[in-house]
Amino acid sequence: MTTRRGALAGLATILAAPPILAARKALAQPAWTPNRPLRLFVTYPPGGVTDIVGRLAAEALGPEIGQPVLVENRAGAGGNLGMQAALAAPADGTTLMLGTVALFGVNPVLYAGSGVDGVRDFAPLGMLGEAANVLSAVPARLAARNVAELVAEGRRRPLTYGSVGNGSSSHLSAVLLLKTLGLEATHVPYRGSAPLVTAMLAGEVDFGFDTTATSTAHVQSGAFRALGVTTARRASSLPEVPTLQEAGLAGYALSVWFGLFAPAATPPERRARLEEAVARSQTPALAEKLRRAFVDPLAVPPAELPGWVAADAARWQQLARDARIELN
């Protein structure tokens, strides 16, 4: 004879069965795979280090996600045009963007009215790598062989420094350097790396900051004298050059990073699939190709990635505000 308690228990089992079966069915579903090529928006023109990193990432990611990854260069407005294009594309897992420290950490200050915010509008899928900015003295104008001698020279006479433009990572690297050292120097902004290098080779400024991609050959030739790199670890292309932390600037660490992002509106399950594919694509072969492009691989644990991006972006934004930067 069935008791009332037994009947209720049986009923509870029957009612619970459909959700359990549904959950098991969902677990058995194959992971999402895109049915068409992915688009990777790169917000700089072809040929530069950002474009190179984007194409290396696309090449490595394609086999892991099961579709080709096609690079689309959308330059303009400091990268905001490319960000807007990525946000206008379908947020279905087939739209990616190569995020940079400039897009997330400087543009919100320089282009405050753009309506685009990297931290708010994009979800990180994985970091790819970082480049250091190199503090280089111009030997013809500055005899300093280390940061201490740079400080001593700066106490004796006015110094000038060059950057690749107002609000650039090279400009803000110098701003933090001078603030940390308690020095003043006259900023001479140029319109990109090539004009800055030309000016430094011609002895127009005392020192400058630019990435390892541009600086390494000139340091190795002796045309520039490297005093330090901005990253927390030494750059693999200039292993003999100390970090600025090692040179005595406690807490100084600025990274010119690159990462893969998807629009924040991308469905979570598709975003998770992309995150897994990005992680698998980061092989020793990709790391070596990045190093040949003067970019050192950078890994951030997935659970820490959103907070890491937000914190680093906030730090760069504060630097930009403190410097009261304006567009060239």
Side-chain angles (χ1 to χ4, degrees):
M1 181 176 177
T2 303
T3 66
R4 177 180 174 83
R5 181 176 297 175
L8 290 174
L11 180 60
T13 302
I14 293 170
L15 291 174
I20 293 171
L21 292 174
R24 288 175 178 169
K25 185 177 180 181
L27 289 172
Q29 292 285 341
W32 168 79
T33 299
N35 58 10
R36 64 175 183 273
L38 278 65
R39 303 163 71 190
L40 172 59
F41 288 89
V42 173
T43 62
Y44 291 85
V49 63
T50 305
D51 178 64
I52 292 170
V53 171
R55 293 180 186 278
L56 291 175
E59 178 185 46
L61 180 60
E64 302 298 338
I65 199 66
Q67 287 286 351
V69 181
L70 308 178
V71 172
E72 295 192 22
N73 296 92
R74 297 288 186 94
N80 281 327
L81 293 184
M83 296 179 80
Q84 290 165 349
L87 289 176
D92 60 359
T94 65
T95 299
L96 307 175
M97 185 187 74
L98 184 70
T100 68
V101 69
L103 297 181
F104 284 69
V106 179
N107 280 11
V109 178
L110 270 181
Y111 301 90
S114 69
V116 182
D117 184 287
V119 173
R120 179 194 67 203
D121 296 330
F122 290 90
L125 303 174
M127 284 292 111
L128 295 168
E130 65 176 354
N133 274 322
V134 185
L135 166 59
S136 295
V138 176
R141 287 183 54 125
L142 188 64
R145 295 186 173 276
N146 53 53
V147 172
E149 292 179 4
L150 170 66
V151 173
E153 187 73 8
R155 302 277 190 246
R156 285 194 295 269
R157 66 174 178 90
L159 297 178
T160 60
Y161 71 93
S163 79
V164 305
N166 282 318
S168 63
S169 69
S170 72
H171 176 202
L172 297 182
S173 293
V175 168
L176 182 59
L177 174 82
L178 296 171
K179 179 180 178 181
T180 305
L181 294 176
L183 281 179
E184 292 186 1
T186 299
H187 177 213
V188 183
Y190 294 89
R191 293 186 177 273
S193 290
L196 171 62
V197 167
T198 299
M200 291 177 68
L201 292 173
E204 293 181 10
V205 293
D206 294 301
F207 66 93
F209 276 92
D210 205 359
T211 65
T212 44
T214 303
S215 303
T216 297
H218 298 293
V219 171
Q220 291 174 340
S221 73
F224 298 165
R225 185 183 300 117
L227 307 184
V229 296
T230 60
T231 41
R233 55 179 175 167
R234 295 193 180 197
S236 62
S237 64
L238 293 170
E240 73 284 358
V241 178
T243 68
L244 287 171
Q245 286 191 40
E246 291 173 326
L249 280 71
Y252 190 112
L254 290 177
S255 167
V256 182
W257 51 259
F258 308 87
L260 288 175
F261 292 77
T266 304
E269 68 279 4
R270 298 188 178 192
R271 192 190 307 170
R273 175 81 168 89
L274 290 167
E275 290 171 356
E276 293 168 1
V278 169
R280 289 197 305 271
S281 73
Q282 296 186 1
T283 62
L286 175 60
E288 181 55 33
K289 290 177 181 178
L290 288 170
R291 290 190 186 97
R292 288 202 294 267
F294 305 101
V295 175
D296 287 320
L298 175 64
V300 178
E304 299 174 13
L305 190 53
W308 186 93
V309 171
D312 197 67
R315 187 181 184 208
W316 281 95
Q317 289 169 28
Q318 190 59 54
L319 271 177
R321 292 188 187 97
D322 290 346
R324 299 180 180 177
I325 58 171
E326 297 178 353
L327 291 173
N328 287 344

